[in-house]
């Protein structure tokens, strides 16, 4: 069982960072919407506050790791140009997608959208985290601010989900592969 | 002190809404600028070349780095001006959300291509 370095980085970018962000974000939307609503019944304890502070910081770190690993590690492999005489485009995913009219839109629409919309996620969640760290439980007393921040968090989720969907489909049609091969496990004979 | 019209003044709090408003508006501006720069780099070869900060990543490197730098600078300036103030949060929140929505829409290639 083996995996290439490029495939591993694509997995780390999409699943470890991006996938975890999506999971965490859905929890944050529920928590902000329910516990921090002005009409919320139970009081917010210092322990709740600390938990959410760590949670939001972790989400922010994940969001930045996702876009930075995508743009500066995986994307250069994706958009690499093949040599003029290249017969096979397997190691050049962008060119491979564009070489077939049936898959070209995965680049011209999918990647073109994904590479930009994904950046709305770290912008939105960084803002939300800083507002939350600054106001803490007092944000309950600023319902308009809380609602606006919640909208940004929801958009960050949508942007990450769009990027995740296109990333998964693009990698399905033209996977980023190549580089050193890592041997994960020795297979047995049956 | 009479609260500014349009602010959420249901209960008096120690922290004014200014810092929150600054963060919201700056994020809206950042999101919109990112999309606007992406559209500009897509349509104008001169901008596209200008946005290549890191060759393997191409114009995406300059588009995102520029938008992030402007976003953080705008945030710092607005925060310095509003950190002890109560501002018209409703207007600012609507503006920030409209800019965010525009940013989201403009990144969609068929709509960005209309410009």
């Amino acid at each position: 069982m083996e995996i290439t370095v490029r495939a591993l980085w694509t997995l780390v970018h999409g699943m470890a960072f991006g996938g975890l962000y999506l999971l965490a974000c859905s929890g944050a939307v529920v928590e902000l919407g329910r516990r921090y609503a002005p009409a919320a019944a139970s009081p917010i304890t210092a322990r709740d506050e600390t938990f959410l502070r760590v949670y939001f910081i972790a989400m922010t770190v994940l969001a930045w790791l996702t876009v930075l690993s995508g743009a500066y590690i995986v994307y250069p492999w994706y958009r690499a140009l093949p040599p003029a005489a290249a017969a096979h485009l397997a190691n050049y995913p962008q060119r491979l997608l564009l070489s077939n009219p049936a898959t070209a839109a995965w680049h011209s629409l999918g990647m073109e959208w994904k590479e930009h919309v994904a950046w709305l996620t770290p912008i939105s969640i960084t803002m939300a985290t800083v507002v939350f760290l600054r106001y803490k439980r007092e944000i309950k007393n600023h319902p308009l601010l809380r609602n606006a921040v919640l909208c940004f968090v929801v958009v960050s989720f949508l942007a990450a989900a769009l990027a995740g969907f296109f990333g998964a489909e693009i990698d399905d049609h033209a996977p980023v592969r190549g580089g050193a091969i890592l041997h994960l496990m020795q297979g047995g004979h049956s | 002190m009479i609260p500014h019209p349009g602010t959420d003044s249901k209960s008096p709090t120690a922290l004014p809404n200014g810092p929150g408003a600054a963060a919201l508006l700056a994020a809206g501006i950042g999101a919109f600028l990112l999309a606007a720069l992406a559209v500009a780099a897509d349509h104008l070869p001169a901008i596209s070349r200008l946005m290549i900060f890191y060759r393997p990543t191409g114009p995406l490197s300059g588009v995102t780095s520029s938008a992030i730098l402007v976003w953080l600078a705008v945030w710092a300036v607005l925060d310095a001006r509003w950190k002890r103030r109560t501002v018209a949060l409703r207007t600012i929140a609507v503006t920030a959300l409209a800019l965010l929505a525009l940013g989201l829409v403009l990144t969609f290639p068929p709509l960005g291509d209309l410009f």
Side-chain angles (χ1 to χ4, degrees), chain A residues 71 79 113 134-135 138 141-142, chain B residues 8 13 15-16 20 56-57 79 107:
Chain A
R79 70 190 293 272
W113 196 9
R134 213 151 175 182
Y135 285 83
E138 212 182 292
N141 300 322
H142 292 278
Chain B
D8 47 336
T13 56
L15 261 176
T57 299
D79 190 73
T107 57

Side-chain angles (χ1 to χ4, degrees), chain B residues 39 43 106 108-115:
Chain B
V39 171
H43 290 84
L106 278 177
F108 184 55
L111 290 174
D113 288 346
L114 295 175
F115 298 93

Side-chain angles (χ1 to χ4, degrees), chain B residues 10 12 15 20 61 63 77 88 94:
Chain B
K10 281 179 185 165
L15 261 176
S61 57
V63 166
V77 170
V94 168

Side-chain angles (χ1 to χ4, degrees), chain B residues 73-112:
Chain B
V74 168
W75 191 354
V77 170
L78 288 176
D79 190 73
R81 291 175 69 96
W82 293 353
K83 67 180 166 193
R84 287 186 194 87
R85 289 177 58 187
T86 295
V87 296
L89 185 60
R90 187 171 300 280
T91 311
I92 290 166
V94 168
T95 307
L97 289 169
L99 287 168
L100 177 67
L102 269 174
L104 190 63
V105 164
L106 278 177
T107 57
F108 184 55
L111 290 174

Side-chain angles (χ1 to χ4, degrees), chain A residues 100-190:
Chain A
N100 181 351
T103 58
W106 285 117
H107 171 76
S108 59
L109 193 142
M111 180 52 88
E112 293 281 339
W113 196 9
K114 167 189 162 62
E115 71 187 34
H116 295 118
V117 80
W119 288 83
L120 300 186
T121 297
I123 291 176
S124 298
I125 203 66
T126 303
M127 180 278 288
T129 300
V130 171
V131 169
F132 182 76
L133 292 180
R134 213 151 175 182
Y135 285 83
K136 302 187 180 80
R137 72 191 79 174
E138 212 182 292
I139 203 165
K140 282 180 80 167
N141 300 322
H142 292 278
L144 192 55
L145 179 61
R146 186 196 71 100
N147 290 344
V149 169
L150 195 54
C151 287
F152 269 82
V153 176
V154 170
V155 168
S156 88
F157 179 82
L158 284 176
L162 275 170
F165 164 73
F166 281 112
E169 284 302 315
I170 289 166
D171 200 56
D172 188 39
H173 288 86
V176 173
R177 297 286 182 270
I181 294 171
L182 304 172
H183 298 278
L184 302 176
M185 200 181 287
Q186 192 67 45
H189 296 286
S190 56

